[in-house]
Amino acid sequence: MRRVLFLVAAVLAVLGSGSIVHGGDVTYDGRSLIIGGRRKIVFSGSIHYPRTTPEMWPSLIAKAKEGGLDAIETYVFWNAHEPQPGHYDFSGRHDIVSFIKEVHAQGLYACLRIGPFIQSEWSYGGLPFWLHDIPGIVFRSDNEPFKVYMQNFTAKIVSMMKSENLYASQGGPIILSQIENEYGTVQKAYGHEGLAYVQWAAHMAEGLQTGVPWVMCKQNNAPDRMINSCNGKKCGQTFVGPNSPDKPAIWTENWTTRYQVYGEDAPVRSAEDIAFHVTLFIAAKKGSFVNYYMYHGGTNFGRTASAFVTTSYYDQAPLDEYGLIRQPKWGHLKELHAALKLCSTPLLSGVKVNLYLGPQQQAYIFNAVSGECAAFLINNDTINAVSVPFRNASYDLPPMSISILPDCKNVAFNTAKVSSQYTTRTMRRGEVLDAADMWQEFTEAIPNFDSTSTKSETLLEQMNTTKDSSDYLWYTSRFQYESSDTQAILEVSSLGHALHAFVNGQAVGSAHGSHKNPRFKFERSVSLSKGINYVSILSVMVGMPNSGAFLERRAAGLRTVKIRDKLDNYDLTNYSWGYQIGLQGETLQIYIEQRSSQVQWKKFSNAGNPLTWYKTQVDAPPGHAPVALNLASMGKGEAWVNGQSIGRYWPSYHSPNGSAQTWYNVPRSFLKPTGNLLVLLEENGGNPLQISLDAASISQVCGHVTASHMAPVSSWIEHHHRAKNPAKVSGRRPKVLLACPSKSKISRISFASYGTPLGSCTSTLALGTCHSQNSRTAVEEACLGKMKCSIAVSDRRFGGDPCPTKPKSLMVVAECQ
């Protein structure tokens, strides 16, 4: 009875919708964080406030809470908040205080990763570029200039949080702070200055007296008062552990996928793999804090993405770029969280025992003094399913899986058996902007040496010249050509990232590097005239660097420029060069309605011209679905809606499998009902007449469970309570659970089969050799016209057993409308 009462309480804690009570100092021991005097297992998810909008924050946080999270983690973005020394911006998407308050209002904890170097695939790793120009500065080192500015910003953020009573020690939600970020990966490059810097950063942070612990991730030698934590995909295997027996095992970044870069395929990580490694971390490493990076990735608006990183960020996270729930990842992890919370008492206070069950199989058992017991049965074999003996019973383990037994007897969850539905996101075609008379265009002038005001006798480094004010830097020169041969070769070597070349005002070609190798060479045949010839090269950065030691020494832009023909070579590298920072349209901000008239727009004439600005007016799609701009017909550039940049686009740069990001997020808050100004800067010459404004929605849901799948974790306690009466145990069955998003219902069942259906939710489906003829009727009765429905894997539901000798499964595909 005692154990049953404990389990009832545990389930109520997992499933309850009430707000978490905050308050009291946060401490820790070797087992976990201790919040308000109680040990906690904390599941957290990263949501970055500037990668979304304030209007979306409540919905995102609510979905994270519904998914079983206890906390929201975010970086603090220094260069967004302090674009110039002493000039701060905490408005709109940068309103970090409002974001943390929303987390608090929804009853979740917050984890604040101040850094203030953050990496995060964010421009310059979050450092403001003006730091580069501070005399004698060396970033992230025992360097006085850097330490002064770093401390000033860190102290400002802490002071802001304190003034709003946002630390848990003040009754607020913040239970953890982070100083620096993954410094252990670069520390060796800094020698003694690196070690001294780590000690200084820890002492500085501790001196700010937040009342909550500080974390240093990927910092195995973290000073005593700092908790060292793990980042990666497999911390249950790779984490060396806390560097003190008095520190808990913390996982600050469990990568739910990986960020995507232009020219590479979208990375995907399965829900099963994430669940396996979370469970392994908790069981094998006695982990008590896991943060998903990212839980919602969002959008790299404007020029915030780092080098070659796409505008869409971690779209494969449990909440996709548009805030839609991505299944089965979201649902499978929700079930995992519930199952692990059932084990809280033995995990946090019990004695751990390791037991080998086979050559690649083992068990971790946690026995609490009060009698509660939890076990984790692990199969590390990546190919074979196995049956293992444990406490006088046999348990079937799929390949690479872990079964969770909250009472050391009954399986509540297996990491490889996905009972959650699968969802399909559809981009519903909206207004196609295919009328030439609705577009206007403005072509950038090609500057030459004589028209530029900045001159140099050598090729300048790009970042130090533009100061991160633009992706673009014009390099222009002129030379006397005396050869009678009018055909020559233009050769350019660049440190990255792309270029567009013009000779005597005529486009001669483009080239670019890649994420793995931003350096590249350009070689193209050009026509020259005898006498003075002009060379104009637009060097383009696709984001600032964001990682590595000595970031301040990184370089970009042109390195050498040469002209050669059959007789002569002209090395223009050390000629006089003229420079223009940015494009004319950028400088004049012609993407803003009030400033658009500063240039002479013309009627749309012809698609395919390089360095052309396009503008039109569009209406917002009806309804409330997320909006995306389909730019598949365009080449490379940047897009603005009502003066707000929705980011860089580059659909012409295909990955090895031929894919590219074609849809670009337009938050509803950027739009008015009608008359929205859409402006695009096209570098390569795309066709705007095929652009459309589409709506994102979950159009299809699919469920597939077998008789060996787990029933929902919410039913586990009821089963345990009834276990003494086998006649009543039959109520706990695997179920297909289908749910359409809010404001939509199941309008059609496109496939239903109880028996041995072929295929899966991610492949082509077909009826197998065994199929109940009542399948579609039974599912339609349970689901049509409803937002959600539940169908148990049961012979009774489908009018009997269609094939008594065969194991059966239920496959259902439904349309949402």
Side-chain angles (χ1 to χ4, degrees), residues 64 148 159 189 337 447 489 707:
V148 166
S159 176
H337 303 150
I489 301 296

Side-chain angles (χ1 to χ4, degrees), residues 51 120-122 258-267 297-316 321 515 542-543 646-651 653 655 659-664:
R51 282 178 160 137
S120 189
E121 295 71 61
W122 187 265
R258 183 182 177 274
Y259 62 90
Q260 186 178 2
V261 299
Y262 293 112
E264 294 184 10
D265 296 329
T299 305
N300 290 313
F301 296 110
R303 299 173 47 252
T304 57
S306 64
F308 286 95
V309 172
T310 57
T311 297
S312 175
Y313 190 64
Y314 275 81
D315 184 44
Q316 294 290 325
E321 179 180 8
H515 180 253
V542 190
I646 62 170
R648 302 182 182 96
Y649 65 83
W650 201 353
Y653 190 2
S655 70
S659 66
Q661 183 185 346
T662 56
W663 279 282
Y664 293 79

